[in-house]
């Protein structure tokens, strides 16, 4: 198929600040996705460190960080693109970044443009956890916004609170993106609204839309899991369970689209 896409969202359960262990889980999930035919795999926000804002300065990545080498090697050997989350030490300071690891050893970074915060009056469900500090107390807004090839299509990346600005998907579509990759950390009480938002963006802008979320708690908060992919009409195509590590994949074939989920064995 001319515009064939084989896209996977990876749902990871990170260990707080343990980059080597989290890299191992990334590699396991990426190999699982590649075995299922995926050519692009998207991971959640800050997936390599967990949503551990107090550790971001200590764990910050350089653009060509050697801790990405194993993932770069897999991207090359498997011929896949990986989008993985990490704090990035950039030219404007510390950013929430998504490293885009491309086949043949190339790479790029997206940096989160709209930093998230819970307002002082926020009432988080007691089962969700406790309110973390504002991202603005740790990070700077980013400006890097490359498009990524997904098959013969172009994809835009968003990191979590970026999707709260409706101009973000609009501008992505205006730039020619027909795929929208949302690297997220969504708590259970926020999930219905975020899911509805992404489904709406998919339909409004005719973009295949993906959400990658954690499959377990991180920082001071629980995660909703349920990593998902929506069609260009806003229809939910595939979704993972609320907890656990695994992949959800959507493949285009000459006979139509197929979906599959696979979880990592404990």
């Amino acid at each position: 198929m001319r515009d064939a896409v084989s896209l996977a969202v990876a749902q990871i359960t990170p260990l707080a600040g343990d980059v080597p262990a989290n890299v191992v889980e990334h590699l396991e999930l990426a190999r699982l996705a590649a075995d299922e035919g995926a050519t692009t795999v998207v991971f959640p926000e800050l997936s390599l460190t967990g949503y551990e804002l107090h550790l971001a300065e200590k764990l910050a990545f350089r653009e060509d960080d050697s801790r990405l080498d194993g993932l770069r090697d897999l991207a090359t050997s498997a011929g896949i693109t990986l989008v993985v989350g990490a704090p990035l030490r950039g030219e404007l300071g510390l950013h929430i970044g998504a490293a885009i690891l491309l086949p043949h050893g190339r790479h790029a970074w997206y940096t989160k443009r709209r930093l998230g915060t819970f307002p002082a009056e926020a009432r988080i469900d007691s089962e969700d956890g406790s309110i973390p500090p504002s991202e603005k107390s740790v990070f700077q807004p980013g400006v890097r916004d490359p498009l990524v090839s997904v098959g013969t299509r172009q994809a835009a990346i968003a990191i979590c609170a970026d999707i709260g600005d409706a101009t973000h998907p609009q501008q992505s579509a205006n730039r020619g993106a027909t795929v929208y990759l949302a690297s997220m950390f969504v708590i259970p009480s926020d999930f219905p609204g975020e899911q509805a938002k992404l489904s709406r963006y998919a339909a409004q802008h005719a973009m295949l839309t993906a959400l990658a979320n954690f499959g377990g708690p991180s920082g001071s908060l629980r995660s909703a899991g349920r990593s998902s992919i929506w069609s260009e009409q806003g229809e939910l195509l595939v979704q993972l369970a609320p907890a656990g590590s695994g992949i959800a994949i959507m493949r285009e074939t000459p006979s139509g689209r197929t979906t599959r989920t696979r979880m990592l064995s404990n």
Side-chain angles (χ1 to χ4, degrees):
M1 296 177 67
R2 177 180 173 274
D3 291 327
V5 172
S6 296
L7 172 65
V9 287
Q11 184 165 293
I12 183 174
T13 305
L15 294 177
D18 193 339
V19 174
N22 292 333
V23 166
V24 169
E25 188 168 358
H26 278 65
L27 289 168
E28 290 174 341
L29 288 166
R31 290 188 187 107
L32 194 64
D35 288 347
E36 292 292 333
T39 57
T40 302
V41 188
V42 185
F43 287 82
E45 179 180 28
L46 294 174
S47 58
L48 286 168
T49 62
Y51 192 79
E52 308 292 339
L53 303 191
H54 65 293
L55 297 176
E57 182 77 34
K58 175 184 176 182
L59 298 175
F61 280 57
R62 302 182 310 277
E63 184 165 347
D64 59 350
D65 204 288
S66 63
R67 289 172 290 179
L68 295 171
D69 286 352
L71 291 163
R72 285 195 192 96
D73 290 346
L74 179 61
T76 297
S77 63
I80 60 176
T81 296
L82 305 177
V83 180
V84 303
L88 172 68
R89 177 67 64 191
E91 60 276 4
L92 301 179
L94 188 62
H95 304 287
I96 296 178
I100 306 158
L101 307 175
L102 301 160
H104 313 302
R106 294 170 293 139
H107 72 272
W109 284 82
Y110 174 91
T111 49
K112 188 174 184 177
R113 295 164 57 179
R114 186 174 189 262
L115 297 177
T117 186
F118 290 98
E121 66 275 12
R123 295 179 59 84
I124 293 182
D125 187 303
S126 61
E127 294 186 356
D128 285 345
S130 59
I131 297 175
S134 167
E135 291 176 358
K136 293 179 182 178
S137 69
V138 180
F139 301 102
Q140 297 295 319
V143 296
R144 299 191 190 190
D145 192 9
L147 294 178
V148 183
S149 294
V150 178
T152 58
R153 304 188 196 184
Q154 293 294 296
I157 295 172
I159 299 179
C160 211
D162 284 336
I163 75 166
D165 180 358
T167 66
H168 191 279
Q170 177 67 68
Q171 291 170 355
S172 299
N174 291 347
R175 293 163 62 205
T178 58
V179 181
Y180 195 61
L181 307 176
S183 175
M184 306 284 286
F185 177 29
V186 186
I187 62 176
S189 60
D190 282 353
F191 189 83
E194 301 293 74
Q195 176 176 241
K197 195 177 299 177
L198 287 169
S199 174
R200 183 170 68 251
Y201 291 159
Q204 285 177 342
H205 304 297
M207 294 192 295
L208 184 69
T209 297
L211 178 161
N213 197 18
F214 290 138
S218 194
S220 60
L221 295 167
R222 292 176 62 237
S223 180
R226 290 180 278 182
S227 299
S228 308
I229 301 174
W230 290 270
S231 74
E232 296 86 346
Q233 293 75 41
E235 174 192 4
L236 181 64
L237 297 176
V238 63
Q239 186 174 82
L240 284 170
S245 296
I247 61 162
I249 182 170
M250 189 286 300
R251 296 184 61 199
E252 291 179 335
T253 71
S255 58
R257 286 178 166 172
T258 64
T259 61
R260 179 167 165 81
T261 63
R262 290 187 62 184
M263 304 300 290
L264 284 183
S265 301
N266 294 327

